[in-house]
Amino acid sequence: MPKRTDIHKILVIGSGPIIIGQACEFDYSGTQACKALKAEGYEVVLINSNPATIMTDPSVGDRTYIEPITAEFVELVIRHEKPDALLPTVGGQTALNVAEELARTGVLKRYGVEMIGANPEAIAKAEDRNLFKKSMERIGLSVPASCVVKTVEEALATAVEIGLPVILRPSFTLGGTGGGVAYNVEELTEMAKLAISMSPIHEVLIEQSVLGWKEFELEVMRDLKDNVVIICSIENFDAMGVHTGDSITVAPIQTLTDREYQVMRDAAVAIIREIGVETGGSNIQFAIHPDDGRMTVIEMNPRVSRSSALASKATGFPIAKIAAKLAVGYSLDELRNDITRQTPACFEPTIDYCVVKVPRFTFEKFPQAQPVLTTSMRSVGEAMAIGRTFKEALQKALRSLEIGRAGLDDFGAIPDREELKRLLSTPGPERVFRIKQAYQSGFTTDEIYHLSMIDPWFLDNIEQIVEFENGLKKGRKSGGSLEALPHEQLYLAKQYGFSDVQLARLFDTTEKAVRERRAELGIRPKFKSVDTCAAEFEAFTPYYYSTYEQEDE
């Protein structure tokens, strides 16, 4: 169906100040959406309290209001501008909550403003923990045993019924704010008080613990014709219990069989239809038991999210741009992929590379905060890298963090065995480096798995990096030099993601010397395209990542 002609002016709500859990990824998404709407001829009015963003540049919206993102101020803008429609799904949780309040209090109806991209009922069913649980049960999907509470007493009674530990998930909060894992009655009492106060509707889901289960996420899009596509599949390196924004994440999913993935895909399609997200993107999170493969649904966001920004960069599919166009009436089959200009937007991206995102933490700036990761997000940013393998992408992402690491480097003095066990079993910002230390200390993959609950497939890949590095060190100790290193070894080192800086340290030489040796041997980076279709169609506007292979695209 063509774009709507009955609406002319659209109010877009931004995400406001950059805070932990809601940062520049929403500026990215919001800007993309505004440009898409203007290109379609709509008048775009923007409200965003943060002037230090691209989104509030005068060129992005036709009119921009630098005002607090509250129902009171948005109503003032609506009264003055008289927009035909409100798009709340590209401004994160802040925009979604304000839009829900405007609908609930009758403001939108009073001024004749239509909410597009999502409807109040869908927002409530996805964000209200009790309604979401009932929706999942209605379509026959498993959810962890849980109960919605409004008082500390109810929380304690629920914990007695389902057993400790329990996970607290406040309704309508961002980045897991106010939530966490309670292991005993004392922790639950304190955490329940906080969680209830943080929820805008003072409601908290007390949920049976699925700590240690594998966590996955699917980016899903739907249009008004009920076409549903999966844009990207994402797997968490860390097991359940760590907020997905604080975990290393990998796309596409690495450790599921195709049969398991198809079951999850079918579930995601059923969920977005049941919740009733009419147009645009949603991310849906699942947990799978590592032993018996049982799948349960954790939650969904009926909006463009932090993961959507990651998925857009990982696949080349502009989720926010397409979501904005779907909101004004287009269907997925009518829109073209910008990169190929041939495939429609209902063509699911296929990628022939591995993407790794590593979160960035600054606990040193928050001296009272314990550097322990839980279900409440604490990272302040992230780095994303693309490679042909997980090993290569992981090392590239680690050195992109700007924390003085050139990859999966040595991490100082190795602690004793008992301290290493504690560090492996406690999710923290440095755990990936502790895994390397564990292998250097003689731990087995099985031991590390039972301490960390990180899937053995990921651990095996880290062990391969460590073993390869040990081989280079042994060669160096026995008199080997960089000049004597054969082509095959140096080439494999680059395929494993080792930087010239890392290799220079291993051979006690300079980065320049390593680069010159590579040039002598003809080992230079090749460039591959991010084209959404694994080179099945010609790409007109791809972007590229460097890797070490034979063919250069």
Side-chain angles (χ1 to χ4, degrees), residues 40-68:
E40 291 295 332
Y42 295 101
E43 187 177 351
V44 175
V45 178
L46 171 69
I47 179 168
N48 195 336
S49 61
N50 186 359
T53 66
I54 297 172
M55 192 180 191
T56 50
D57 186 280
S59 66
V60 174
D62 292 291
R63 267 180 303 288
T64 301
Y65 290 84
I66 310 294
E67 301 289 353

Side-chain angles (χ1 to χ4, degrees), residues 115-331:
M115 190 186 298
I116 59 175
N119 57 64
E121 294 76 21
I123 294 172
K125 284 173 74 174
E127 297 288 341
D128 185 299
R129 300 292 182 178
N130 199 32
L131 291 176
F132 183 72
K133 177 186 175 184
K134 290 178 179 177
S135 297
M136 295 306 96
E137 291 171 343
R138 189 157 45 244
I139 56 176
L141 292 176
S142 167
V143 291
S146 62
C147 184
V148 174
V149 304
K150 291 181 176 289
T151 67
V152 174
E153 292 71 28
E154 290 176 354
L156 293 170
T158 299
V160 170
E161 184 179 338
I162 66 178
L164 289 162
V166 294
I167 297 175
L168 290 81
R169 299 185 187 278
S171 295
F172 290 92
T173 66
L174 171 78
T177 302
V181 183
Y183 291 90
N184 54 55
V185 171
E186 291 75 19
E187 286 183 346
L188 178 58
T189 302
E190 291 303 312
M191 292 174 70
K193 289 178 184 176
L194 175 65
I196 291 167
S197 68
M198 294 297 287
S199 169
I201 60 173
H202 306 297
E203 179 182 283
V204 179
L205 186 77
I206 305 297
E207 185 177 86
Q208 180 186 35
S209 169
V210 287
L211 297 178
W213 290 36
K214 294 161 66 170
E215 185 171 1
F216 302 91
E217 195 169 343
L218 296 185
E219 288 296 322
V220 190
M221 294 200 83
R222 185 186 185 210
D223 66 17
L224 287 166
K225 289 182 180 177
D226 198 28
N227 294 310
V228 181
V229 292
I230 309 300
I231 304 303
C232 187
S233 65
I234 302 172
E235 178 168 2
N236 280 21
F237 176 85
D238 295 292
M240 285 293 300
V242 175
H243 190 279
T244 186
D246 285 350
S247 175
I248 294 172
T249 57
V250 185
I253 286 170
Q254 301 291 311
T255 69
L256 291 184
T257 65
D258 182 62
R259 182 183 295 273
E260 290 172 313
Y261 170 71
Q262 294 303 332
V263 170
M264 185 179 292
R265 185 188 186 284
D266 289 346
V269 172
I271 290 167
I272 197 169
R273 285 173 172 160
E274 169 62 26
I275 295 301
V277 176
E278 292 178 339
T279 68
S282 297
N283 73 299
I284 306 172
Q285 288 164 258
F286 299 88
I288 288 187
H289 194 286
D291 297 327
D292 58 27
R294 277 181 294 145
M295 184 183 78
T296 188
V297 184
I298 302 302
E299 63 181 1
M300 80 174 289
N301 289 309
R303 56 174 169 80
V304 173
S305 66
R306 179 181 50 260
S307 297
S308 306
L310 173 68
S312 292
K313 296 181 179 78
T315 63
F317 188 101
I319 291 176
K321 176 181 179 179
I322 299 297
K325 292 196 174 192
L326 296 180
V328 294
Y330 285 111
S331 58

Side-chain angles (χ1 to χ4, degrees), residues 59-134:
S59 66
V60 174
D62 292 291
R63 267 180 303 288
T64 301
Y65 290 84
I66 310 294
E67 301 289 353
I69 303 177
T70 64
E72 177 188 1
F73 278 94
V74 176
E75 181 179 358
L76 290 174
V77 173
I78 289 173
R79 184 188 303 168
H80 181 69
E81 288 289 344
K82 299 179 175 57
D84 302 302
L86 168 68
L87 180 65
T89 55
V90 294
Q93 193 68 39
T94 301
L96 207 65
N97 287 352
V98 168
E100 191 275 336
E101 184 179 347
L102 291 169
R104 178 167 40 81
T105 56
V107 172
L108 298 185
K109 186 176 182 180
R110 185 159 61 250
Y111 292 99
V113 180
E114 179 186 353
M115 190 186 298
I116 59 175
N119 57 64
E121 294 76 21
I123 294 172
K125 284 173 74 174
E127 297 288 341
D128 185 299
R129 300 292 182 178
N130 199 32
L131 291 176
F132 183 72
K133 177 186 175 184
K134 290 178 179 177

Side-chain angles (χ1 to χ4, degrees), residues 230-545:
I230 309 300
I231 304 303
C232 187
S233 65
I234 302 172
E235 178 168 2
N236 280 21
F237 176 85
D238 295 292
M240 285 293 300
V242 175
H243 190 279
T244 186
D246 285 350
S247 175
I248 294 172
T249 57
V250 185
I253 286 170
Q254 301 291 311
T255 69
L256 291 184
T257 65
D258 182 62
R259 182 183 295 273
E260 290 172 313
Y261 170 71
Q262 294 303 332
V263 170
M264 185 179 292
R265 185 188 186 284
D266 289 346
V269 172
I271 290 167
I272 197 169
R273 285 173 172 160
E274 169 62 26
I275 295 301
V277 176
E278 292 178 339
T279 68
S282 297
N283 73 299
I284 306 172
Q285 288 164 258
F286 299 88
I288 288 187
H289 194 286
D291 297 327
D292 58 27
R294 277 181 294 145
M295 184 183 78
T296 188
V297 184
I298 302 302
E299 63 181 1
M300 80 174 289
N301 289 309
R303 56 174 169 80
V304 173
S305 66
R306 179 181 50 260
S307 297
S308 306
L310 173 68
S312 292
K313 296 181 179 78
T315 63
F317 188 101
I319 291 176
K321 176 181 179 179
I322 299 297
K325 292 196 174 192
L326 296 180
V328 294
Y330 285 111
S331 58
L332 286 162
D333 56 301
E334 293 174 323
L335 299 173
R336 292 287 155 187
N337 184 318
D338 289 347
I339 290 180
T340 65
R341 298 179 189 168
Q342 297 179 52
T343 55
C346 57
F347 184 93
E348 293 190 353
T350 303
I351 62 179
D352 53 359
Y353 45 82
C354 183
V355 180
V356 174
K357 174 219 83 178
V358 180
R360 172 77 150 85
F361 300 92
T362 54
F363 279 104
E364 67 276 5
K365 295 182 180 179
F366 304 94
Q368 293 182 320
Q370 291 295 315
V372 176
L373 306 181
T374 181
T375 59
S376 181
M377 185 174 161
R378 294 186 170 195
S379 71
V380 296
E382 59 196 34
M384 187 195 93
I386 305 177
R388 296 296 274 182
T389 66
F390 169 72
K391 290 186 282 289
E392 180 189 9
L394 174 67
Q395 294 228 73
K396 288 171 75 172
L398 287 172
R399 64 174 164 268
S400 299
L401 290 174
E402 298 181 352
I403 57 173
R405 302 288 164 189
L408 189 61
D409 292 346
D410 288 337
F411 201 70
I414 299 177
D416 62 48
R417 190 174 180 86
E418 290 307 310
E419 177 64 7
L420 260 181
K421 284 183 177 181
R422 186 189 69 79
L423 292 168
L424 290 171
S425 60
T426 307
E430 300 163 351
R431 187 158 64 166
V432 67
F433 296 102
R434 301 301 183 186
I435 292 170
K436 179 179 181 180
Q437 289 183 326
Y439 278 121
Q440 290 172 325
S441 301
F443 280 69
T444 66
T445 295
D446 193 55
E447 287 176 310
I448 299 173
Y449 166 66
H450 282 101
L451 288 165
S452 66
M453 298 308 294
I454 294 169
D455 192 275
W457 188 88
F458 294 118
L459 299 177
D460 284 339
N461 272 268
I462 293 175
E463 184 181 23
Q464 290 169 35
I465 293 173
V466 174
E467 287 180 345
F468 185 84
E469 184 179 304
N470 288 341
L472 294 180
K473 288 178 179 177
K474 285 179 183 175
R476 168 68 177 157
K477 287 179 181 176
S478 60
S481 64
L482 177 65
E483 289 70 26
L485 190 67
H487 177 280
E488 294 75 17
Q489 283 289 91
L490 186 53
Y491 186 59
L492 190 57
K494 300 306 292 182
Q495 289 191 313
Y496 272 39
F498 283 90
S499 64
D500 289 352
V501 172
Q502 286 171 291
L503 294 171
R505 290 172 185 166
L506 288 170
F507 287 95
D508 194 23
T509 185
T510 64
E511 182 183 358
K512 182 181 178 183
V514 175
R515 183 168 292 124
E516 289 173 349
R517 175 61 177 159
R518 280 200 295 105
E520 285 174 22
L521 297 174
I523 301 173
R524 294 185 176 88
K526 300 295 189 283
F527 290 86
K528 301 286 187 180
S529 62
V530 174
D531 58 11
T532 79
C533 62
E536 187 175 345
F537 297 91
E538 181 183 0
F540 291 91
T541 57
Y543 60 97
Y544 297 89
Y545 65 96

